[in-house]
């Protein structure tokens, strides 16, 4: 295939044709390329002139600071690293010098044509622009070496100019490479554009990362280091480009590499919107007002659905870019076998390069956003669980126990937060398998349908195993809560156990619970292993069946089909290997959500049962109970069976407690400064009286007044 006429011509008139051809002419033809880059140079010169005219005069001629305001001990100034300054300055000087040399050669060697005028104008503007850029970098170097504060990043207009120069050098090099492959070099500087591309890469690197390795978008280095901007977390202050390339974390990595270790003060703060208090406030603002069967799931979805959808979109983009490479294998094999023009090969390489770059960015951001979502959910749930544990009613606290509450915060919240990221695997992995099978069908035909039988058999086995796995998971969690509750009660009453010599009895009880817990755990892990074995063997079985059936049906395998099919089958390994674990994690999260639903829906202490006064005068009544009738809230299971329930083996809402009236007709007055003793037999209600004063019992009638300090 011959090259387009405009690619090896100095004509500036656009071709007549489609929009795609016109855009290709605009970015690849020599004349528009020089026009675009020259326009960038002119814009940079105008911006530099405007900024130079608006720059304030030096303050050195102003009045000096008063002696009494000068610091006795000057802070030692750490000289900033000058490597990037020198790199940017050298690259700018090389660009300016090369443009001057080419300008002189064009004046002497090129004939007097219209193209000569275009070339001279472009080289002149290019030389002046890079000269101004070199002067700007030199000014920054003088500031870094003297008393002036060193700029952490180049000015914004200089960064844009350097990035545009790198893009222009890449376009120049692409056009020169195509002309070189077709032996159609028509320009004297075609050989030098590749060197220009190499020189422009350091400029693009400094434009993104800055002079000192800090985020280039965080500022121009002129803001106060002790101000609010310096205290802003790097992620919150990062620009879109910095977040897209993860360059905002470069300072932390550089500091860790230089110091070999990081202290707690070296790690930047979390952004305000990602902290636990912000996530908790968002979570509680979306808590369903009406009674719901799954309030935690509803509140999580309403609070974090934008980031959840963003993660799903990134995962979809990752899947789309993932299949570009294997789909091009057959075309590469055909290109090598039958030959082709350099333009066709360059197009295949560019498509593969763009696809892999898009896949890399989508994959990294998918994992990052998923981990960030899990961190926010974990912070919201743990904060909500902790606050709920402080406000639990006495009956609800007895129903759950301290051990179960600890499990809710440490285990269940972690299960739910980690599964939110893996939840996308429930639709991503089947989608990957379906797309791979459709692409395989286009290459191998009906032989691919045998893979459906393998997938169906694996699905039936996994469904049966997951049903048992869910039952074992529920049993395991219930026994684990019982063991932790028993251990907690033993530690709380260790003195009584020691005095009565009950160590062996209680130790045997704990060992029995532990043995039961280990038994359920072994069964659960065995089913997980069975799932992994089945799904790990499926890709190999599918490959053997498909290739065997294709050959038996008379098909012919060539290098392109074998490499392409093998790549697609290889891409099925990861989803089929990880799918069982994803399903198990989802089931565990489902069980944990049920437990959290029950706990967060339990009854709370009535904060209005006790009236609190600010201050009480000496000798006045400080604590007063008038006509009080109080009751304990008892769980229905304990009221019916006399046995306290664990509250962990149910996925429904918290059961309605029953009121057990304990105190009636209570009238108490305690003045400030008095010493009062409550005397009575065991079970007469001494502790209940103190609890009703503290507001821990349900007040059915009467009034209670205490000072705020109580």
């Amino acid at each position: 295939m011959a090259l387009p006429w405009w690619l090896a011509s100095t004509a500036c008139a656009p071709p007549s044709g489609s929009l795609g051809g016109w855009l290709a002419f605009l970015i690849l033809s020599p004349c528009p390329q020089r026009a675009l880059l020259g326009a960038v140079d002119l814009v940079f010169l105008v911006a530099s002139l405007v900024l130079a005219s608006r720059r304030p005069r030096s303050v050195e001629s102003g009045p000096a600071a008063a002696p009494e305001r000068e610091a006795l001990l000057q802070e030692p100034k750490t000289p900033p690293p000058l490597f990037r300054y020198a790199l940017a300055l050298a690259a700018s000087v090389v660009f300016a010098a090369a443009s001057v040399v080419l300008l002189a050669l064009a004046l002497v060697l090129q004939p007097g044509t219209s193209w000569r005028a275009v070339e001279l104008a472009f080289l002149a503007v290019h030389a002046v622009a890079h000269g101004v850029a070199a002067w700007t970098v030199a000014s920054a170097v003088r500031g870094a070496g003297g008393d002036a504060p060193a700029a952490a990043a180049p000015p914004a207009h200089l960064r844009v100019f350097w990035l545009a120069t790198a893009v222009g050098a890449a376009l120049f090099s692409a056009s020169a490479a195509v002309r070189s492959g077709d032996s159609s070099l028509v320009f004297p500087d075609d050989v030098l554009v590749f060197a220009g591309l190499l020189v422009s890469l350091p400029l693009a690197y400094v434009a993104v990362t800055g002079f000192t390795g800090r985020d280039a978008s965080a500022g121009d280095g002129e803001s106060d280091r002790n101000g609010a901007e310096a205290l802003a977390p790097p992620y919150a202050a990062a620009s879109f480009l910095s977040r897209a390339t993860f360059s905002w974390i470069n300072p932390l990595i550089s500091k860790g590499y230089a110091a070999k270790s990081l202290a707690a003060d070296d790690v930047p703060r979390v952004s305000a919107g990602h902290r636990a208090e912000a996530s908790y406030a968002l979570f509680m603002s979306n808590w369903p007002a009406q009674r719901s069967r799954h309030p935690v799931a509803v509140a999580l979805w309403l609070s974090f659905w934008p980031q959840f959808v963003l993660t799903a979109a990134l995962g979809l983009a990752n899947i789309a870019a993932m299949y570009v490479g294997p789909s091009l294998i057959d075309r590469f094999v055909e290109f090598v076998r039958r030959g082709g023009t350099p333009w066709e090969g360059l197009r295949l390489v560019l498509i593969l390069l763009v696809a892999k770059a898009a896949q890399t960015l989508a994959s990294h951001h998918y994992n990052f956003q998923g981990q960030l979502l899990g961190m926010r959910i974990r912070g919201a749930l743990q904060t909500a669980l902790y606050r709920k544990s402080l406000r639990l009613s006495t009956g609800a606290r007895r129903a759950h126990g301290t051990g179960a509450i600890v499990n809710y915060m440490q285990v269940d919240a972690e299960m739910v937060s980690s599964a939110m990221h893996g939840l996308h695997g429930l639709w991503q992995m089947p989608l990957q398998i379906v797309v791979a099978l459709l692409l395989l069908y286009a290459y191998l035909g009906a032989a691919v349908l045998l893979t459906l039988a393998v997938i169906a058999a694996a699905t039936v086995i996994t469904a049966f195993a997951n049903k048992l796995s869910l039952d074992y998971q529920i049993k395991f969690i219930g026994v684990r809560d019982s063991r932790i509750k028993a251990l907690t009660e033993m530690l709380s009453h260790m003195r009584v156990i020691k005095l009565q010599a009950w160590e062996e009895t209680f130790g045997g009880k704990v060992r029995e619970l532990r043995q039961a817990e280990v038994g359920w755990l072994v069964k659960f892990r065995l089913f997980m292993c069975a799932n992994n074995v089945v799904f790990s063997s499926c890709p190999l079985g599918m490959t053997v069946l498909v290739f065997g059936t294709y050959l038996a049906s008379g098909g012919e395998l060539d290098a392109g089909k074998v490499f392409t099919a093998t790549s697609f089958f290889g891409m099925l390994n990861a989803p089929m290997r990880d799918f069982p674990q994803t399903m198990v994690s989802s089931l565990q999260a489902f069980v944990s959500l049920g437990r959290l639903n029950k706990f967060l829906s339990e009854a709370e202490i009535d904060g209005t049962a006790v009236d609190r006064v600010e201050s009480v005068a000496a000798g006045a009544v400080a604590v007063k109970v008038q006509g009080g009738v109080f009751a304990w809230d008892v769980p229905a299971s304990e009221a019916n069976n006399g046995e306290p329930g664990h509250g962990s083996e149910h996925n429904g809402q918290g059961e309605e407690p029953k009121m057990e009236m304990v105190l009636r007709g209570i009238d108490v007055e305690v003045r400030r400064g008095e010493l009062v003793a409550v005397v009575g037999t065991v079970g007469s209600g001494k502790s209940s009286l103190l609890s009703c004063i503290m507001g821990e019992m349900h007040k059915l009638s009467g009034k209670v007044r205490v000072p705020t300090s109580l």
Side-chain angles (χ1 to χ4, degrees):
M1 183 179 67
L3 294 179
W5 64 267
W6 43 262
L7 193 59
S9 173
T10 59
C12 295
S16 59
S18 62
L19 178 61
W22 188 84
L23 291 177
F25 164 79
L26 185 63
I27 63 175
L28 294 177
S29 182
C31 183
Q33 282 180 345
R34 284 158 172 76
L36 290 176
L37 194 55
V40 172
D41 295 337
L42 289 175
V43 171
F44 169 70
L45 291 175
V46 172
S48 300
L49 182 61
V50 172
L51 292 177
S53 62
R54 297 177 59 183
R55 185 173 302 168
R57 294 180 177 270
S58 176
V59 297
E60 294 179 359
S61 59
E68 64 272 10
R69 296 183 180 273
E70 294 182 357
L72 295 178
L73 295 177
Q74 300 292 335
E75 292 186 2
K77 295 183 178 180
T78 303
L82 298 179
F83 172 74
R84 301 191 186 191
Y85 290 98
L87 186 65
L89 180 60
S92 299
V93 170
V94 167
F95 260 120
S99 300
V100 172
V101 172
L102 290 175
L103 178 62
L105 293 176
L107 283 171
V108 176
L109 300 178
Q110 284 193 0
T113 60
S114 58
W115 174 252
R116 181 173 181 268
V118 173
E119 184 79 359
L120 293 177
F122 165 71
L123 291 174
V125 174
H126 207 54
V128 174
H130 281 285
V132 173
W135 175 79
T136 306
V137 176
S139 300
V141 172
R142 288 195 299 270
D147 296 334
H157 68 291
L158 183 58
R159 297 200 303 266
V160 174
F161 172 67
W162 281 345
L163 291 174
T165 300
V167 173
L171 294 177
F172 276 55
S173 301
S175 300
V178 174
R179 289 192 293 268
S180 176
D182 197 57
S183 300
S184 302
L185 289 174
V186 294
F187 305 110
D189 54 346
D190 269 352
V191 182
L192 301 177
V193 294
F194 299 104
L197 177 62
L198 294 178
V199 176
S200 66
L201 294 180
L203 294 178
Y205 174 71
V206 175
V208 174
T209 60
F211 287 133
T212 60
R214 301 181 179 91
D215 180 23
S217 61
D220 293 335
E222 298 177 0
S223 58
D224 187 2
R225 299 292 300 172
N226 299 323
E229 294 181 1
L231 297 177
Y235 183 80
S239 65
F240 174 79
L241 180 62
S242 179
R243 294 187 182 185
T245 58
F246 293 100
S247 62
W248 56 271
I249 204 172
N250 284 347
L252 182 63
I253 297 176
S254 301
K255 183 181 293 184
Y257 177 78
K260 305 301 181 182
S261 63
L262 290 174
D265 296 337
D266 297 330
V267 180
R269 297 180 296 111
V270 180
S271 301
H274 299 158
R275 295 179 186 174
E277 54 265 29
S279 301
Y280 168 74
L282 181 62
F283 175 75
M284 294 308 298
S285 65
N286 291 295
W287 187 266
Q290 300 179 352
R291 191 172 182 85
S292 173
R293 292 187 58 187
H294 306 287
V296 177
V298 172
L300 287 177
W301 170 253
L302 294 178
S303 301
F304 303 106
W305 71 265
Q307 193 168 0
F308 188 83
V309 173
L310 174 62
T311 309
L314 291 171
L316 192 61
N318 181 33
I319 293 176
M322 185 187 304
Y323 288 98
V324 175
S327 301
L328 292 176
I329 292 179
D330 190 45
R331 296 189 181 184
F332 275 105
V333 172
E334 288 294 324
F335 177 79
V336 173
R337 184 172 57 187
R338 64 177 175 81
T341 62
W343 176 256
E344 184 179 355
L346 181 62
R347 183 177 60 183
L348 291 175
V349 171
L350 288 177
I351 293 175
L352 181 62
L353 178 63
V354 172
K356 288 302 178 182
Q359 179 188 352
T360 301
L361 287 176
S363 175
H364 283 76
H365 281 282
Y366 170 74
N367 292 321
F368 175 75
Q369 293 295 334
Q371 296 295 332
L372 180 59
L373 175 63
M375 181 192 73
R376 297 180 65 192
I377 290 177
R378 182 170 61 253
L381 288 179
Q382 289 182 344
T383 306
L385 291 170
Y386 176 73
R387 290 177 177 268
K388 183 71 175 183
S389 66
L390 299 179
R391 299 193 300 265
L392 272 182
S393 64
T394 307
R397 190 179 300 277
R398 291 175 60 190
H400 291 273
T402 305
I405 295 175
V406 172
N407 274 338
Y408 297 152
M409 288 189 284
Q410 291 185 349
V411 180
D412 293 298
E414 179 66 28
M415 285 286 186
V416 174
S417 62
S418 61
M420 286 298 110
H421 179 43
L423 198 62
H424 294 292
L426 296 178
W427 63 268
Q428 282 185 353
M429 295 175 185
L431 179 62
Q432 285 180 310
I433 295 173
V434 170
V435 172
L437 293 180
L438 291 177
L439 294 174
L440 282 171
Y441 182 81
Y443 286 95
L444 301 179
V448 181
L449 297 179
L450 283 178
T451 58
L452 298 179
V454 180
I455 294 176
T459 303
V460 172
I461 296 174
T462 306
F464 174 73
N466 283 334
K467 183 178 182 303
L468 293 179
S469 176
L470 178 60
D471 296 337
Y472 293 158
Q473 179 74 6
I474 294 176
K475 297 290 186 181
F476 167 71
I477 291 176
V479 176
R480 183 186 61 190
D481 286 347
S482 301
R483 177 182 61 84
I484 294 178
K485 183 176 182 181
L487 284 173
T488 304
E489 292 177 353
M490 282 182 56
L491 294 175
S492 300
H493 303 85
M494 184 57 66
R495 178 178 298 178
V496 177
I497 294 174
K498 287 288 187 180
L499 290 175
Q500 301 295 333
W502 288 342
E503 295 93 336
E504 292 296 330
T505 303
F506 281 89
K509 180 64 175 177
V510 172
R511 282 191 290 270
E512 290 178 3
L513 293 174
R514 179 58 180 168
Q515 289 176 359
E517 180 184 4
V518 171
W520 291 114
L521 181 60
V522 169
K523 294 180 181 180
F524 174 68
R525 290 297 178 182
L526 286 177
F527 274 96
M528 285 184 59
C529 294
N531 282 349
N532 291 331
V533 169
V534 170
F535 275 87
S536 298
S537 305
C538 285
L540 179 60
M542 288 190 298
T543 304
V544 174
L545 283 176
V546 169
F547 279 135
T549 305
Y550 184 75
L551 292 175
S553 61
E556 295 183 0
L557 291 175
D558 55 11
K561 290 182 179 180
V562 171
F563 290 150
T564 302
T566 304
S567 298
F568 283 134
F569 281 124
M571 296 179 67
L572 292 178
N573 287 333
M576 298 197 71
R577 182 185 66 248
D578 298 337
F579 192 64
Q581 182 62 37
T582 302
M583 295 188 66
V584 170
S585 300
S586 301
L587 292 175
Q588 292 175 343
F590 176 76
V591 175
S592 297
L593 272 177
R595 290 157 53 83
L596 297 182
N597 287 333
K598 177 179 174 57
F599 179 73
L600 292 176
S601 301
E602 290 287 3
E604 299 181 359
I605 296 176
D606 185 8
T608 62
V610 177
D611 298 331
R612 299 186 181 273
V613 295
E614 292 294 334
S615 60
V616 178
V621 176
V623 178
K624 182 177 182 180
V625 181
Q626 181 179 3
V629 179
F630 305 93
W632 288 112
D633 57 329
V634 181
S637 58
E638 185 175 345
N640 295 334
N641 305 326
E643 295 289 338
H646 299 303
S648 59
E649 300 183 12
H650 305 282
N651 294 332
Q653 295 296 312
E655 55 191 7
E656 291 294 338
K658 294 185 177 181
M659 297 298 174
E660 182 179 335
M661 192 176 301
V662 177
L663 302 177
R664 300 180 182 87
I666 303 300
D667 293 291
V668 176
E669 286 189 0
V670 179
R671 297 183 179 276
R672 182 178 178 182
E674 288 184 345
L675 178 62
V676 179
V678 180
V679 182
T681 60
V682 175
S684 60
K686 301 185 297 296
S687 299
S688 298
L689 177 61
L690 298 178
S691 297
C692 76
I693 295 176
M694 298 298 296
E696 296 177 355
M697 294 184 66
H698 286 272
K699 185 183 69 174
L700 303 181
S701 63
K703 294 182 179 180
V704 180
R705 189 185 67 184
V706 297
T708 55
S709 59
L710 185 61

